Amino acid sequence: MPTYDPNNIFAKILRGELPCHKVYEDDKAFAFLDIMPRAPGHTLVLPKAPARNILDIAPDDLAHVIKVAQKIAQAGIRAFGADGVTVQQFNEGAGGQVVFHLHVHVIPRKEGLPLKPPASFKEEPDMLKEHAAKLAAALSG
Ligand code: AMP
């Protein structure tokens, strides 16, 4: 398997070298909005540890990411009045992974509303800002 590349785009976001719409941060995890959301509130949850995907992450770091994904899922229900949540996580190109720093997609869902196709729609920054604020408020409320 290839090794972790510290110059991947999410590593740059974690180091503050590239912008993002932050939703949550603690000592081991970071969450921000996907810029091409498949539904409003589509969030990516990352470990701060430099893991490529589920194949190389330390089990404790993975467990923490999943705990944070659960919090984001619950906040997504509250913030967006969602009826459900889709959680996705891809590993290596063959597994659908495009960015090689482990991330879990947490996508609030409304009954009867299909997901937009992947990478089909780039959301406006103002809307992302509003959605990140709504999620952050739901997380702290
Ligand atoms: P995947 O590796 O298949 O889980 O896909 C990577 C995801 O990252 C896609 O949903 C992209 O829309 C998203 N993405 C790519 N670049 C950025 C970025 N700079 N900020 C937020 N999300 C991004």
Side-chain angles (χ1 to χ4, degrees), residues 9-10 13 19-20 32-36 42 44 90 96-99 103 105 119:
I9 193 163
F10 290 172
I13 288 174
C20 72
F32 54 91
L33 290 184
D34 196 303
I35 46 168
M36 291 184 272
H42 181 167
L44 304 174
F90 305 114
Q97 187 174 15
V98 174
V99 180
H103 52 279
H105 298 254

Coordinates of all heavy atoms in Angstrom, one line a residue, residues 9-10 13 19-20 32-36 42 44 90 96-99 103 105 119, ligand 1:
I9 N -4.4 17.5 0.4 CA -5.2 18.7 0.6 C -5.7 18.8 2.0 O -5.8 19.9 2.6 CB -6.2 18.9 -0.5 CG1 -6.8 20.3 -0.5 CG2 -7.3 17.9 -0.4 CD1 -7.6 20.6 -1.7
F10 N -6.1 17.7 2.6 CA -6.7 17.7 4.0 C -5.6 17.9 5.0 O -5.9 18.6 6.0 CB -7.5 16.5 4.3 CG -8.8 16.4 3.5 CD1 -9.6 15.2 3.5 CD2 -9.3 17.4 2.7 CE1 -10.8 15.1 2.8 CE2 -10.5 17.3 2.0 CZ -11.2 16.2 2.0
I13 N -5.3 21.6 5.1 CA -6.3 22.2 5.9 C -6.1 22.0 7.4 O -6.2 23.0 8.1 CB -7.7 21.6 5.5 CG1 -8.1 22.1 4.0 CG2 -8.8 21.9 6.5 CD1 -9.3 21.4 3.5
P19 N -8.0 27.1 3.6 CA -9.2 27.4 4.3 C -10.2 26.3 4.4 O -10.1 25.4 3.5 CB -9.8 28.6 3.6 CG -9.3 28.4 2.2 CD -8.0 27.8 2.2
C20 N -11.1 26.3 5.3 CA -12.2 25.4 5.4 C -13.3 26.0 6.2 O -13.1 27.1 6.8 CB -11.8 24.1 6.0 SG -11.5 24.1 7.8
F32 N -15.0 19.5 9.1 CA -15.4 20.7 8.3 C -16.3 20.3 7.2 O -16.5 19.1 6.9 CB -14.1 21.4 7.7 CG -13.2 20.5 6.9 CD1 -13.4 20.3 5.5 CD2 -12.2 19.8 7.5 CE1 -12.5 19.5 4.8 CE2 -11.3 18.9 6.8 CZ -11.5 18.8 5.5
L33 N -16.9 21.3 6.5 CA -17.9 21.0 5.5 C -17.3 20.6 4.2 O -16.2 21.2 3.8 CB -18.8 22.2 5.2 CG -19.8 22.5 6.4 CD1 -20.7 23.7 6.0 CD2 -20.6 21.3 6.8
D34 N -17.9 19.6 3.5 CA -17.4 19.3 2.2 C -17.8 20.4 1.2 O -18.9 20.9 1.3 CB -18.2 18.0 1.8 CG -17.5 17.3 0.5 OD1 -17.4 18.0 -0.5 OD2 -17.2 16.1 0.6
I35 N -16.9 20.8 0.4 CA -17.2 22.0 -0.5 C -18.1 21.6 -1.7 O -18.6 22.4 -2.3 CB -15.9 22.7 -1.1 CG1 -14.9 21.6 -1.7 CG2 -15.3 23.6 -0.2 CD1 -13.8 22.3 -2.5
M36 N -18.2 20.3 -1.9 CA -19.2 19.8 -2.9 C -20.2 18.9 -2.2 O -20.2 17.6 -2.4 CB -18.4 19.1 -4.0 CG -17.6 20.0 -4.8 SD -16.8 19.3 -6.2 CE -15.2 18.8 -5.4
H42 N -23.4 18.4 4.7 CA -22.4 17.3 4.4 C -21.0 17.6 5.0 O -20.4 18.6 4.6 CB -22.3 17.1 2.9 CG -21.3 16.0 2.4 ND1 -21.3 15.6 1.1 CD2 -20.4 15.3 3.1 CE1 -20.4 14.6 1.0 NE2 -19.8 14.5 2.1
L44 N -17.2 16.4 6.8 CA -16.1 15.4 6.7 C -15.4 15.4 8.1 O -15.0 16.5 8.6 CB -15.0 15.8 5.7 CG -15.6 16.0 4.3 CD1 -14.5 16.5 3.3 CD2 -16.1 14.6 3.7
F90 N -14.3 5.9 2.5 CA -13.7 5.2 1.3 C -12.2 5.0 1.5 O -11.6 5.8 2.1 CB -13.9 6.1 0.0 CG -15.4 6.4 -0.2 CD1 -15.8 7.7 -0.2 CD2 -16.3 5.5 -0.5 CE1 -17.1 8.1 -0.4 CE2 -17.6 5.8 -0.7 CZ -18.1 7.1 -0.7
G96 N -12.9 4.0 -3.8 CA -13.6 5.2 -4.0 C -13.0 6.4 -3.4 O -13.5 7.5 -3.4
Q97 N -11.8 6.3 -2.8 CA -11.1 7.4 -2.1 C -10.4 8.3 -3.1 O -9.8 7.8 -4.0 CB -10.1 6.9 -1.1 CG -9.5 7.9 -0.2 CD -8.6 7.4 0.9 OE1 -8.2 6.2 0.9 NE2 -8.3 8.2 1.9
V98 N -10.6 9.6 -2.9 CA -10.0 10.6 -3.8 C -8.9 11.4 -3.0 O -7.8 11.7 -3.5 CB -11.0 11.6 -4.3 CG1 -10.4 12.7 -5.1 CG2 -12.0 10.8 -5.2
V99 N -9.2 11.7 -1.7 CA -8.2 12.5 -0.9 C -7.7 11.5 0.2 O -8.5 10.9 0.9 CB -8.9 13.7 -0.3 CG1 -7.9 14.4 0.6 CG2 -9.5 14.6 -1.3
H103 N -11.1 10.2 6.1 CA -12.2 11.1 6.5 C -13.5 10.3 6.4 O -13.6 9.4 5.6 CB -12.3 12.3 5.6 CG -12.2 12.0 4.1 ND1 -11.0 11.7 3.4 CD2 -13.2 11.9 3.2 CE1 -11.3 11.4 2.2 NE2 -12.6 11.5 2.0
H105 N -17.5 10.8 5.8 CA -18.6 11.6 5.4 C -19.8 11.5 6.3 O -20.2 10.3 6.5 CB -19.0 11.3 3.9 CG -17.9 11.4 2.9 ND1 -17.9 12.4 2.0 CD2 -16.8 10.7 2.6 CE1 -16.9 12.3 1.2 NE2 -16.2 11.2 1.5
A119 N -19.3 15.1 -6.3 CA -18.6 16.2 -7.0 C -19.4 16.8 -8.1 O -18.8 17.2 -9.1 CB -17.2 15.7 -7.5
Ligands
AMP1 P1 -13.4 10.9 -1.1 O1 -11.8 10.8 -0.9 O2 -13.8 10.0 -2.2 O3 -14.1 10.6 0.2 O4 -13.7 12.3 -1.6 C1 -13.1 13.5 -1.1 C2 -14.2 14.5 -0.7 O5 -13.5 15.7 -0.3 C3 -15.2 14.9 -1.8 O6 -16.5 14.7 -1.3 C4 -14.9 16.3 -2.1 O7 -16.0 17.1 -2.4 C5 -14.2 16.8 -0.8 N1 -13.3 17.9 -0.9 C6 -12.2 18.0 -1.8 N2 -11.5 19.1 -1.6 C7 -12.1 19.7 -0.5 C8 -11.8 20.9 0.2 N3 -10.8 21.7 -0.1 N4 -12.6 21.3 1.2 C9 -13.7 20.5 1.6 N5 -14.0 19.3 0.9 C10 -13.2 18.9 -0.1

